[in-house]
Amino acid sequence: MKILHVVSNFAVGNGAARLVASLILEQIDQGHQTDVLALIESPLSYAKEVTRKGAHYKVLNNGPTRVYNFLPIFQLIPVIKRYDIIHVHLFPGLYWVLFAKILSGAKCKLVTTEHSTENNRQGKKWLKFIERFVYNHYKAVIAISEATKEYLIRFVNPETPIITIDNGINISDFESAKPARRQELGIPNDVFLLTQVARFNPQKKQELIIESLLHLPDKCRVMFIGEGVLMEKNRQLAKDLGVDNRCYFLGVREDVPSLLKTADVVIMSSNFEGFGLAAVEGMAAGKPVMASNVPGLCNVVEGAGILFPVNDEKALAEGVLRLLNDKDYREIITKQCIQRAKNYDIKVMADKYEEIYKAILQ
């Protein structure tokens, strides 16, 4: 079958884009023609990774502001007619693809995946009618976790049929990665290295990890992988607190598996999370994972890694100290995390999506 994934952007460091790139590679292996269309271009994207495998990569090139006008609808019309399945990820593509199909009369079937437990549209009563109309016109609505499904049902419509398919990763990419050399990163070999892979935005709450350093010995350092609107603010916070020499801001990187391998602990301090792909990646890399106890993320980590109350830097620090000082405990948590990662194999996820595609094409 011919499949087109539509994403807002295909940027390295974007969790949804990372998932789509992995899914595309698996779907090509399944024998499908699978392509991707981004509404805006990204300086560093997963385009090379998927095009090497045979996917086509298209960008509408409207720029961030024009993505939210009606122009993409008309740009999408000639594109969607060439595919059997249009799989949409995130707003505003969720709207534009549906309107393009209605206007064009295209015979393609629409699928959408909900990637988060929260979005800016929730809570706006005047949008509920439009949201219900949009979601109800998709042949399949998929949530990446039970928590995401619950939030979506509450906002859209209790009668909307929603399927849960857990996210997946290529586990072998992280298992087999060689650790990055700390010297080349400017990080001493003898430090206890905390790591977070995430965009710098309010959701990810990097400042909590920076604040936790005040309750931890100098041996504990943190490596941040990612960029975003709050990156400079977090740099300044580290300086204000006098811990800037213990923080390493690496920006967007393409060698995340190797960087995770060189870490001692992987931390997600999110305020909310639909799933927590970075937590699974940390587990697959053989690291103990700590995460804030929020819906979606807690389902991935609970019973394997360590959960701490949201926005509680002291509890975060206590968890780190126990991992630092108790080697036996650290080994237990690490083994549990490695085992948990095996539940989230990308091949399992791709097979479930394939079943859905085939069912709606019948």
Side-chain angles (χ1 to χ4, degrees):
M1 66 185 81
K2 296 179 180 179
I3 305 163
L4 177 68
H5 290 273
V6 177
V7 295
S8 298
N9 65 70
F10 208 39
V12 170
N14 181 304
R18 187 160 76 251
L19 177 75
V20 172
S22 298
L23 180 57
I24 287 171
L25 298 178
E26 289 299 320
Q27 290 177 335
I28 291 173
D29 284 343
Q30 289 174 331
H32 305 300
Q33 178 191 324
T34 311
D35 301 326
V36 59
L37 180 146
L39 299 183
I40 58 174
E41 184 62 283
S42 305
L44 186 61
S45 77
Y46 295 105
K48 288 183 180 179
E49 184 177 344
V50 298
T51 54
R52 270 198 306 263
K53 199 74 179 281
H56 294 98
Y57 174 60
K58 181 177 176 60
V59 184
L60 294 188
N61 280 321
N62 288 313
T65 55
R66 296 182 68 188
V67 162
Y68 293 96
N69 66 24
F70 294 108
L71 180 61
I73 297 174
F74 302 100
Q75 294 174 313
L76 283 162
I77 287 175
V79 179
I80 66 174
K81 290 181 177 180
R82 301 198 292 266
Y83 294 89
D84 303 309
I85 297 287
I86 309 295
H87 191 152
V88 187
H89 306 263
L90 305 174
F91 178 85
L94 177 73
Y95 281 26
W96 300 157
V97 168
L98 174 61
F99 297 153
K101 176 176 166 57
I102 292 172
L103 290 175
S104 67
K107 296 180 180 180
C108 57
K109 305 297 183 182
L110 304 187
V111 176
T112 185
T113 295
E114 192 72 19
H115 289 268
S116 182
T117 55
E118 296 185 23
N119 61 56
N120 293 330
R121 308 186 311 284
Q122 292 177 2
K124 297 177 180 177
K125 293 183 179 179
W126 61 274
L127 263 179
K128 268 204 168 185
F129 175 79
I130 298 173
E131 289 279 293
R132 288 181 179 182
F133 175 84
V134 171
Y135 280 101
N136 287 337
H137 278 76
Y138 275 77
K139 288 295 182 181
V141 178
I142 297 153
I144 62 172
S145 67
E146 283 299 313
T148 306
K149 179 178 178 177
E150 290 171 9
Y151 275 79
L152 187 58
I153 287 174
R154 192 180 309 162
F155 178 61
V156 180
N157 190 345
E159 298 178 1
T160 300
I162 300 170
I163 304 160
T164 300
I165 298 179
D166 288 332
N167 279 349
I169 64 168
N170 191 329
I171 294 172
S172 63
D173 286 349
F174 295 87
E175 288 178 333
S176 61
K178 294 182 179 180
R181 294 184 178 182
R182 291 189 180 185
Q183 303 97 311
E184 296 177 2
L185 300 170
I187 301 173
N189 282 323
D190 60 348
V191 303
F192 193 69
L193 188 59
L194 319 179
T195 300
Q196 186 186 59
V197 182
R199 300 186 312 278
F200 279 84
N201 64 20
Q203 174 191 350
K204 302 301 182 179
K205 198 72 177 179
Q206 281 92 347
E207 60 265 33
L208 195 74
I209 305 177
I210 296 172
E211 291 166 355
S212 75
L213 293 177
L214 295 175
H215 309 283
L216 292 167
D218 184 68
K219 180 181 178 69
C220 293
R221 310 287 178 91
V222 58
M223 173 173 66
F224 292 109
I225 305 165
E227 292 181 350
V229 293
L230 296 182
M231 186 172 180
E232 290 307 314
K233 185 176 180 180
N234 277 270
R235 282 183 184 274
Q236 187 59 50
L237 174 64
K239 289 180 181 178
D240 293 343
L241 295 179
V243 295
D244 51 310
N245 63 322
R246 299 165 63 189
C247 298
Y248 308 94
F249 296 85
L250 302 191
V252 175
R253 301 279 298 217
E254 294 185 273
D255 56 345
V256 170
S258 294
L259 293 171
L260 290 177
K261 277 287 190 179
T262 202
D264 292 300
V265 182
V266 173
I267 301 176
M268 291 190 70
S269 50
S270 310
N271 289 323
F272 63 91
E273 201 72 55
F275 180 80
L277 201 65
V280 177
E281 291 174 345
M283 292 175 178
K287 304 300 171 180
V289 170
M290 296 183 60
S292 50
N293 192 3
V294 294
L297 185 54
C298 71
N299 295 338
V300 174
V301 177
E302 189 171 23
I306 301 170
L307 292 172
F308 56 87
V310 65
N311 294 325
D312 191 336
E313 75 278 3
K314 290 184 179 179
L316 192 165
E318 288 172 4
V320 171
L321 281 172
R322 188 172 180 190
L323 289 171
L324 171 64
N325 297 322
D326 190 336
K327 185 178 179 180
D328 291 339
Y329 175 71
R330 187 165 71 246
E331 288 181 357
I332 290 171
I333 297 298
T334 299
K335 288 178 180 178
Q336 290 177 172
C337 286
I338 291 171
Q339 190 61 37
R340 177 63 58 82
K342 295 177 182 178
N343 295 342
Y344 301 106
D345 192 311
I346 188 70
K347 295 183 185 299
V348 175
M349 186 188 81
D351 287 344
K352 290 181 178 179
Y353 274 115
E354 186 181 42
E355 289 175 9
I356 290 171
Y357 295 165
K358 288 179 177 178
I360 65 178
L361 286 174
Q362 289 179 352

